[in-house]
Amino acid sequence: MNPSLIIDAAFLAAAFLFIYGLKRMSSPVTAASGIRVAGLGMLVAVLASFLYVFGVSEAARPHLTVNVILGAVALVLGLGWAWTSGKKVEMTAMPQMVALYNGMGGGAAAAIGAVELFRSSAEHSTIPLVVTIIGSLIGAISLSGSLIAWAKLDGRINGVWRVTGLQVINGTFFFATLALGLYIALVADGHAPVWMTAAFFVLALIFGVLMTMPIGGADMPVVISLYNAFTGLAVGFEGFVLGNPALMIAGMVVGSAGTLLTLLMAKAMNRSVSNVIFSNFGAAGDEQQGEIKGSMKPVDAGDAGINMRYASKVIIAPGYGLAVAQAQHKLFEFVKLIQEQGVEVKFAIHPVAGRMPGHMNVLLAEAGVPYDIIYDMEDINGEFKEADVAIVIGANDTVNPAARTNKSSPIYGMPILNVDQAKQVYVVKRGQGKGYSGVENELFFADNTNMVYGDAQKVMVQMIQAVKGLDGGGH
Amino acid sequence: MLTGFIALYIFMLAAFTGYEIIGRVPSILHTPLMSGSNFVHGIVVVGALFALLNATSVVEQVIGFLGVLLGAGNAAGGYVVTERMLEMFKPSDKKKG
């Protein structure tokens, strides 16, 4: 049988399995099987691609043995490293790992473009050349940008790096890179000197760094999602250059899905994507914070726990601090304890709780919390009025009423969880510090709020002991 | 090589498909889906493999090798991470102990 026919059939099957797998991933019930379906598609495509050895160009034939060995070694190394690192990464560190893997994909797309451009022998026509350049540009930006995003989320680069006039510098850089790329494609017809092609890639990589450095950590999820869409587009474009429909379809599906996902995430934070990329969050409004009336009232963790045991409805608003303290498991133990006493417990998840939309759901799922007692913000915000107790654990900006009322606040306009409407609010917090955005939180000073100071995990243990002691003593 | 318009048709239909798949997804699945779509563009490893197998010079071999290495990392890492996340989604009735 003709090898190229097998390859084509395998790619068709892979494209179908990718789309079907993604579709299954879009519902919680079928999601786990969805990734396996997509994984099967990948396996089929990669195995079939080894049949390429039967169809290599005349010029490459003498190098075939070396190339096959190189390919196998690269596959094993890349696969082995990523498999082990992906297996052992903590769930809290998931966003930066996604950024890292995504950057690698962008780099691979740029590498395909580079091989095409450095192949001086090949005959190039204009449209594929322009597409190669654009795909390489996007891929290279995604590579270096994702690496910066990874380093920032992983705490390897701290703070925000800004110089005045950065937007002008970035704009100049971008258009210079684009102009050089178009020169290579249109004027030099793909036969540009090697140094020029190399310079194009270096410029593109530097631009990715410049574009990402000024963006603060809180905005990184949107940026990672954007680079995910970028990589998809780059893969789609390079797929066109190679005449490979599987790459085109998979790349473009991810490109459009990723773009939509980016817009949804930005919307959840009440900001536009351009606002995330071009403005400096938290830079304004620091000076003009009004005085907040009232005082913070601490309460003992055990008392708070007992109070919840006798409540009829408790809503929990978890934040990233919960995951950092690794307190999800103890929290769920406490929840099961008071559920047995007939207390109705619900989890309220802000769209940007954690470090990515949906990240908190993953962290709670890790502790075994069933997803049907976890509610999205818009579904549960009306219920806080009826709740006896709302408990905020390791969250801050997502429950700050200033977002509703204080126009000078940098988080003004961001939708928040209405925890302040519950009869009693407990805030579990390590100390008296401010949130990720650096804004003071009025909620902590409200009359119906009590602060439970301490490490979230220890606090949960104290609550469990207090409730257990209560019921044990009664018999 | 695909002709220009056929390629545009493929791009257009694929873009719609991606949009429709994500359009009605509950936000609890945004992170796994981002990770899942991150895995799907790991198919780039196939293109990189093609480029490497057709390499004729050392420069092409080095870049092609890097491309396959990075692409394989994207695909494998994306798969493992997504599977681990999705494994955790369980409804109440399957509660253990």
Side-chain angles (χ1 to χ4, degrees), chain B residues 65-79:
Chain B
F65 179 83
L66 273 178
V68 176
L69 186 74
L70 293 173
N74 181 186
Y79 181 83

Side-chain angles (χ1 to χ4, degrees), chain A residues 13-202:
Chain A
F16 168 76
L17 291 170
F18 285 155
I19 294 171
Y20 182 58
L22 275 176
K23 183 71 207 160
R24 285 187 79 80
M25 267 186 257
S26 63
S27 158
V29 185
T30 55
S33 68
I35 181 65
R36 294 201 188 93
V37 170
L40 182 66
M42 187 71 75
L43 194 66
V44 168
V46 171
L47 288 179
S49 67
F50 268 96
L51 294 175
Y52 278 143
V53 293
F54 296 109
V56 295
S57 63
E58 276 308 318
R61 229 166 262 284
H63 305 279
L64 193 57
T65 319
V66 179
N67 289 351
V68 168
I69 294 170
L70 282 177
V73 171
L75 266 183
V76 169
L77 283 182
L79 197 136
W81 173 81
W83 196 273
T84 41
S85 65
K87 279 280 182 207
K88 67 173 187 236
V89 61
E90 294 285 334
M91 275 296 150
T92 44
M94 219 41 117
Q96 51 263 48
M97 281 322 271
V98 173
L100 195 56
Y101 298 139
N102 175 56
M104 295 173 80
I112 294 174
V115 170
E116 288 296 313
L117 291 172
F118 281 124
R119 183 174 296 143
S120 48
S121 58
E123 278 304 310
H124 296 290
S125 52
T126 311
I127 291 177
L129 264 181
V130 173
V131 176
T132 308
I133 288 286
I134 294 176
S136 303
L137 178 63
I138 300 173
I141 292 172
S142 178
L143 168 62
S144 60
S146 297
L147 283 178
I148 298 293
W150 165 77
K152 284 199 166 203
L153 282 174
D154 214 39
R156 283 160 206 264
I157 300 179
N158 289 314
V160 180
W161 181 84
R162 287 188 195 117
V163 289
T164 41
L166 188 66
Q167 287 180 25
V168 180
I169 299 173
N170 279 3
T172 316
F173 233 96
F174 176 74
F175 285 109
T177 315
L178 189 64
L180 182 60
L182 291 180
Y183 177 87
I184 294 169
L186 299 175
V187 183
D189 264 341
H191 294 287
V194 172
W195 68 264
M196 197 183 275
T197 313
F200 165 72
F201 280 98
V202 172

Side-chain angles (χ1 to χ4, degrees), chain A residues 317-382:
Chain A
Y320 190 64
L322 172 80
V324 170
Q326 289 292 316
Q328 312 90 296
H329 295 89
K330 287 292 167 200
L331 172 64
F332 187 46
E333 198 181 326
F334 176 73
V335 167
K336 280 189 286 193
L337 204 60
I338 60 173
Q339 270 178 335
E340 281 161 22
Q341 306 296 332
V343 182
E344 184 188 4
V345 183
K346 288 182 177 177
F347 284 84
I349 309 291
H350 190 274
V352 294
R355 283 291 177 267
M356 286 202 281
H359 189 201
M360 185 51 63
N361 303 79
V362 173
L363 296 169
L364 289 176
E366 186 189 14
V369 180
Y371 62 72
D372 43 16
I373 64 166
I374 301 176
Y375 292 83
D376 286 347
M377 180 176 68
E378 56 265 39
D379 296 329
I380 200 161
N381 249 352

Side-chain angles (χ1 to χ4, degrees), chain B residues 75-88:
Chain B
Y79 181 83
V80 173
V81 163
T82 311
E83 198 195 26
R84 277 184 59 194
M85 278 191 226
L86 290 174
E87 269 297 296
M88 296 168 184

Side-chain angles (χ1 to χ4, degrees), chain A residues 36 48 54 59 78 116 134 148 159 224 239 243 253-254 263 272 280 291 308 330 339 369 405-406 430 465:
Chain A
R36 294 201 188 93
F54 296 109
E116 288 296 313
I134 294 176
I148 298 293
I224 295 174
V253 166
V254 174
L263 293 174
S272 71
N280 305 324
E291 281 291 301
M308 281 186 270
K330 287 292 167 200
Q339 270 178 335
V369 180
T405 53
N406 183 356
R430 258 229 287 260
Q465 281 166 351

